[in-house]
Structure formats: structure tokens, C-alpha cells
Amino acid sequence: MKQKLRIVTELAVAILCISSAASGQGIGLVDVRYAEKIITVGGADADIPGFTSGAIQIAVDAVKTRGGGTVKLNPGTYDITGPVRLSDNITLKGSGKSTILKKCNGFSTSYIVDADWGMMKAVVKDASGFRTGMGIQLYDDNNKGGWDVTTAVITDIKDNVIYFDNGTVNDYIAALNGIVSNGCSIVEAVDAENVKISDLIVEGNKSKNDYINGCRGGGIYIHKSKNCLVENVQVNEFNGDSFSCQVTENITFRGCEASYGDGLGFHPGTGSDRPTVENCISHHYKGDGLFLCWRVQNGTFRNNTIYANLDNGISIGHKDTDNIFENNHVYENANHGVLFRNENEQNAGHRNIFISNTIENNGTAKESAGFYIGGTTNTITIKDNIIRSEGKGNQKTAIIVGKNSSNVTAEGNKIIGSKEIIYEKK
């Protein structure tokens, strides 16, 4: 009761400390002009003193009620038990590297009763590690990847029954190792516009957390959203993808860093139009440093550094067309520097341009190429790049054109220490 009263009191204080903003020619004539809305979180002098995801969410919900505003996170380490959910016109701004959002330790249990499609509760073996406000995911052996996983936030717990706010998207069968875990995103924007996330660090605590796939979550996760900016954010040791945007328009990642995670570094995918990744770093990931998933189009990827990942530096595939890659440094990744995945002509990553990149010393795990253009891929431009093999790695060939690929333009490239170009035989 005391905790609920404290939360209600903090929310009331937060709402009182903001006021509505207006814009347009009528301001000062027929409309009132209000000051910018800012709520501070963290510490005795903050509007919301707590250092938890719940405290941050109170502030976010308060500015949401008045159409948007800024939630400013003071220095400190915040205990994250559930995703911080952002809405339209909200800025979440930290205090730089002194603001750390740390994922709590993981907990998982099995179902006792099947969790059927559309349900918003699960009967579980052990609910002792869960609490309200905690982010969760539900899956079984038949539905454990991609969009088959359900994500939600716990709204109530009664004995061994947990209730949550999102209907399950599959039938999850107890006999097929049905699992509920508290794997979740750290910050997410879903069905939102004009969101900004900046100046903070996410510590994923991956060794003590369940994996969550990048379609359903990430250190920073953006879904069905438009015109969002993520700037100067570092995601470290997240058990999944560091930065994921799915079904989006005009999403920009700028000056961000993805490191030491167990998924993918940057993962724009599932129909993401006009993404931008610039001045970012991706390294020491279990998968690819930059993975374009399905239908990533009209994107700009420039001035990024991608290295020491345990698969490819950059991976391009299903309908990932009309993107430009400029002035990136891709080096010492375990497989290819740049891979075009095996897709048929209707679905391949056509019309991509690479200009003024440095692709060097990849293939640290096996023989590789600077560029491997697989599938039935066409109209690829590789111009004015440095493709180098000296020192680390086993990057034996600058460019390999797969047996079904065509219309690859390679000109003005400086190639050092490897074969220039190989066309695989049909």
C-alpha cells in the first residue's frame, strides 16, 4: 500500500511540474505559450527521485499526458526490470556516460497450463522471481524465434498466475518446453513518432539474462514508428541485438556503440524505409556487426566502424535494395567484410552502392572475401574503396561475384594483398 501511494504521489508531482506546449501562429493571440516540459529522474533533487525503470516510466507517462516533453535522467545506475516505453514526442535524455540503465538479473519458469493464442495470463510453475511492471517474453520449442515470441509487461500476479498487457501471438504448449522469462528490451518505442533517446549507457547483464531476438526486442528497440533519433547511446553486453528497428520510417542511429552482445550489433529490418546509421561503432558481437534484415530500403550507412564481430561485418539480403554505404571501416570480422545473402532474383538486395569504404583483414575465423555477392543479386556498385588484406585475417579475395549474380561494377578500388575479383562458375 505504501509503495502504491508513493507511486501515485510521484506521478501527481510529475504532472504538476509540467505544462502544456503549443505551437503555431495563434500563440500569444488566442493560445497560451507554455514553457518546455522537462521532468528529472534520479536523486533527492529530482522530480522523481527513484533509480528504477518504474521511476523513469512514471516520468514518461506524466509527459505523455500533456502531449510530449523531455525526461532527463540524472547520473546514476538505474535498475531496469521492464522496458521503458516511449510515446509520441518524448525525449529520453541521460547525462552521458554517468547515466547507466542496467538490466536486472534474469528469471524464467515453465508453464503448467498451455498459454493459448490471445491470452493475457499464464499459469506457471514458479512465479517467485516475477513482479508487476516486469518485462517478459513467452515462447516454446515450436515458437521461439522471430515474430513468434510474445513480449509484454506483467500487470498482476496471483499465486502462480501472472497477468500481462499483451495477448499471446501463438499457442504456446507446456509440453513443448513452454517458457516465460523476464527477457525484455531496455528502452522501446512502439507505434510512436518523433521520439529521441540520447546520452546514456545500457548495460545488458547478458550472462544473467535470457536471450531475446531482435524482431521482438533489443537494448534499444523501435517498432512501427517514424522519425526517431537515437544519439550517443552505448549498449554493452545485451543478450540479443543492441539496436533494432522493425517496420519503421526515418529512424536514425548516430554516434552509438554496440559491443559484446550475443545477437546483432545494428539490426534495421522488416520493412524499414530510409534508415540512417552514421558515426556508429559495432564490435565483438556474436553475430553480424550490421545486419540488414528484410526490406531495408533507401538507407544511408556512413562513417561507421565495424570490427571483431563473430560473423560478417555487414550482411545484406531479402529485398534490401537502394542503400548507400559510404566511408565505413569494416575490419577483422570472422567471416566476410560484406555479405550479400543467398536470395532469388525477385527478393535479392539489388542496387546497393559502396563508395570510399575501407574493407580489410576480415576472415579471422575462415577464408573470406572483402565482398561476397551471393544469390541472384544485380546492379551493385563498388567504387573507390580500399580493400586490403595484410596482417590479421584470411581475406583472400577482394570481391567474389556468385555464379548467379550480375552487373557488378567495380572501379577505382585500391586492392592490396589479395586477388582482385573472382567470378564463380555457373
Side-chain angles (χ1 to χ4, degrees), residues 121-140:
K121 69 175 183 178
V123 184
V124 299
K125 182 178 180 180
D126 178 12
S128 64
F130 295 127
R131 55 186 183 271
T132 58
M134 181 172 279
I136 56 170
Q137 61 174 338
L138 300 90
Y139 57 90
D140 65 14

Side-chain angles (χ1 to χ4, degrees), residues 355-426:
I355 186 168
S356 299
N357 303 279
T358 298
I359 313 294
E360 62 180 340
N361 298 330
N362 295 286
T364 58
K366 59 183 178 180
E367 184 175 331
S368 73
F371 291 83
Y372 184 89
I373 304 171
T376 309
T377 305
N378 64 58
T379 318
I380 303 302
T381 300
I382 304 172
K383 182 179 179 181
D384 297 336
N385 302 277
I386 297 172
I387 310 173
R388 183 163 50 204
S389 181
E390 53 186 16
K392 294 183 179 180
N394 196 19
Q395 185 179 295
K396 293 291 188 181
T397 307
I399 302 168
I400 297 178
V401 180
K403 61 183 179 180
N404 295 315
S405 295
S406 62
N407 194 20
V408 175
T409 300
E411 60 184 23
N413 300 296
K414 185 177 182 180
I415 297 172
I416 301 169
S418 65
K419 297 176 183 177
E420 183 169 350
I421 189 166
I422 291 178
Y423 293 89
E424 291 184 336
K425 295 181 180 180
K426 294 185 178 181

Side-chain angles (χ1 to χ4, degrees), residues 18-49:
I18 63 175
S19 54
S20 176
S23 62
Q25 292 182 345
I27 293 177
L29 298 176
V30 295
D31 295 317
V32 179
R33 178 185 175 94
Y34 292 102
E36 182 185 3
K37 299 162 291 181
I38 301 175
I39 295 180
T40 57
V41 182
D45 295 331
D47 298 316
I48 309 294

